[in-house]
Amino acid sequence: MADISTTPSGLPVRVPQANLAEPLRTGEADAAGRPDEEDDPGRSPEEIKQIMGSYQRGTRRGRTDAAGAANGAPAGAASAAASGALGSHAEEGEEGQ
């Protein structure tokens, strides 16, 4: 390592990017490692809707189960009753989840 200089208070002087691997210092990995944003369209709105709907149903089921457990009901009994009520409000494409 090169000569380590210190500040007047005795602390070592920071040298930006001195401890990085060579490809990271030159930027080669950055250019080759990241795909362009245009090449990655992400998820479709329908996929996002399905994922968020599933997440919301899971949250509701967990809260219902927790409330039932706090009241002494067996686990799953409250969620089974709630899923019957929620099933009538299920949106198109959510039946398989």
Side-chain angles (χ1 to χ4, degrees), residues 34-42:
R34 254 190 315 176
D36 293 336
E37 289 182 22
E38 299 164 4
D39 293 341
D40 185 18

Side-chain angles (χ1 to χ4, degrees), residues 57-83 86:
R57 283 190 304 279
T59 301
R60 286 182 185 156
R61 180 178 176 185
R63 289 179 180 166
T64 303
D65 286 350
N71 294 332
S79 65
S83 66
L86 293 175

Side-chain angles (χ1 to χ4, degrees), residues 44-60:
S44 70
E46 291 79 23
E47 286 177 298
I48 294 171
K49 179 181 174 183
Q50 187 175 17
I51 291 168
M52 293 305 295
S54 178
Y55 180 78
Q56 187 175 29
R57 283 190 304 279
T59 301
R60 286 182 185 156

